[in-house]
Amino acid sequence: MYTNTYTRMAFYSILAVLAVIFISVATFISERLDDNYRSEQYTQTQNFLTEYQNRLSTELQTHIQLIRGLPSLFAVNQHLTQKQFAEAVGYLVNNESEIRNIAAAPDMIIKYMYPVEGNELAIGLDYRKEPEQFEAADRARRTRELVLAGPLELKQGGTGLVTRVPVFLNDENTGEEYFWGLISAVIDVDKFFSHVGLKDPIPFKLAIRGKDSLGRQGAVFFGDPALFQKPTLVQTLKLPEGEWILAAEPKGGWSALPQNYWQQVVAIYGIASIVFLLLAAIIRFVLVASIANYKYRNLIQSSPVPYVLMDK
């Protein structure tokens, strides 16, 4: 009786230990699956974000390099006419280009424009009298750097990104440098976003903030502003003066589980249960055999009659 009780206690103790081990292993594996999925999720989102940041940067740099060379027009001829200005910049504006128009504003007042048609309302605009545009325009003068302003509503209609580069010339009489004004190019926002792929379905959520190149202090001008209100993946796109902040997360959010997650968990716990039951059966068999052997040996040793074993 004592042996049977002891054996049962040992059997159930072994089963309890095995159950704890198998549950712990199955839980660890399922958690690793979750961790691996989240790590893969983060890596994929990071790669997508980097890709679109590079696209935006490349496209912006193309426009910036074009605009940087325009001040030389007035360095060569400070008395440029509208016709000469149009001939010089006309090749930059066409149906395929993202540039809607190019303007020059001596003393902060737009005087030169190409094309004139469709942009008549912008001619004569004084940046100093436009609160929405003056800060970025004056920042270009103060920093002597190209400033990317907007997106903003244009006087001539529509929405545009405006690249403004300050022009400093040398006085023809004294030779002293002075601030001449600004040259700006308006980039069609819809064409720009379409060209970099932001108008197409993208595999993650993306938002951009930094209107007027103000970085975190600027307004969100693309995507869901809520992305900046919670933990998310963020990258900075440096501009000649200022920056944009890009935020991204998976479409289903960071808490999303893989589509077959629960099937995998069920499979893991199912396999653990089957292995556990097999081991339990083997252990039971071994213990039963051990008890039978013990009883047999005890019978032989305690018997007053000698026995001789023949074969089996």
Side-chain angles (χ1 to χ4, degrees):
M1 177 68 74
Y2 173 79
T3 301
N4 290 340
T5 302
Y6 175 79
T7 302
R8 280 197 297 269
M9 290 179 60
F11 175 67
Y12 290 128
S13 297
I14 293 172
L15 289 186
V17 171
L18 285 176
V20 170
I21 292 173
F22 275 96
I23 291 174
S24 299
V25 170
T27 302
F28 173 78
I29 294 174
S30 63
E31 287 178 350
R32 289 301 301 165
L33 286 175
D34 190 23
D35 291 342
N36 289 339
Y37 175 72
R38 292 183 190 281
S39 177
E40 182 181 350
Q41 210 180 29
Y42 180 89
T43 301
Q44 287 181 346
T45 305
Q46 175 76 58
N47 291 339
F48 281 130
L49 183 58
T50 299
E51 177 187 348
Y52 280 88
Q53 181 194 34
N54 290 337
R55 289 187 187 185
L56 287 165
S57 179
T58 300
E59 195 68 17
L60 286 173
Q61 286 301 322
T62 299
H63 292 297
I64 287 169
Q65 294 307 318
L66 288 174
I67 302 305
R68 282 194 188 280
L70 294 182
S72 61
L73 293 174
F74 294 94
V76 173
N77 181 4
Q78 297 186 22
H79 306 287
L80 206 66
T81 65
Q82 168 62 32
K83 181 180 179 181
Q84 291 171 325
F85 178 79
E87 291 173 349
V89 304
Y91 73 97
L92 297 176
V93 183
N94 53 61
N95 291 333
E96 302 300 323
S97 173
E98 296 168 14
I99 298 178
R100 288 184 49 169
N101 60 72
I102 298 176
D107 197 29
M108 292 283 200
I109 301 173
I110 294 178
K111 176 182 177 182
Y112 302 89
M113 175 68 72
Y114 183 85
V116 173
E117 185 178 356
N119 296 295
E120 294 87 352
L121 292 177
I123 298 174
L125 181 143
D126 187 338
Y127 290 123
R128 292 166 297 194
K129 297 180 181 179
E130 298 292 330
E132 185 179 1
Q133 299 192 41
F134 177 69
E135 193 283 328
D138 193 54
R139 183 150 39 104
R141 178 188 65 81
R142 296 193 316 268
T143 62
R144 304 173 73 99
E145 279 286 355
L146 182 146
V147 171
L148 182 64
L152 51 84
E153 297 298 320
L154 304 170
K155 285 290 183 182
Q156 59 271 43
T159 306
L161 285 167
V162 185
T163 52
R164 294 196 178 102
V165 58
V167 180
F168 290 86
L169 302 178
N170 293 321
D171 188 275
E172 293 176 331
N173 299 319
T174 65
E176 293 182 359
E177 187 181 61
Y178 69 100
F179 173 68
W180 178 87
L182 300 171
I183 294 181
S184 61
V186 175
I187 301 170
D188 187 292
V189 171
D190 288 335
K191 283 188 176 181
F192 176 77
F193 285 154
S194 178
H195 197 266
V196 297
L198 295 181
K199 288 292 185 178
D200 302 324
I202 57 178
F204 65 104
K205 294 179 183 178
L206 175 68
I208 309 174
R209 81 178 312 156
K211 183 178 178 181
D212 291 338
S213 305
L214 293 177
R216 295 184 183 278
Q217 282 67 51
V220 177
F221 60 85
F222 181 87
D224 184 2
L227 288 183
F228 291 97
Q229 306 301 321
K230 53 187 176 181
T232 188
L233 191 58
V234 173
Q235 285 189 9
T236 300
L237 194 162
K238 288 293 184 182
L239 303 171
E241 209 294 313
E243 60 190 20
W244 285 354
I245 308 297
L246 282 66
E249 72 172 25
K251 281 193 171 180
W254 295 110
S255 60
L257 295 172
Q259 292 182 349
N260 60 344
Y261 175 75
W262 291 112
Q263 291 91 325
Q264 291 178 338
V265 170
V266 170
I268 291 169
Y269 280 94
I271 292 171
S273 299
I274 291 172
V275 175
F276 171 76
L277 292 174
L278 288 174
L279 283 176
I282 293 171
I283 292 170
R284 184 176 183 280
F285 173 79
V286 171
L287 289 176
V288 169
S290 297
I291 291 172
N293 183 58
Y294 173 80
K295 289 180 177 180
Y296 177 70
R297 289 176 60 189
N298 190 51
L299 175 65
I300 295 297
Q301 293 173 0
S302 62
S303 175
V305 181
Y307 288 86
V308 176
L309 297 179
M310 304 298 294
D311 297 329
K312 297 183 178 181

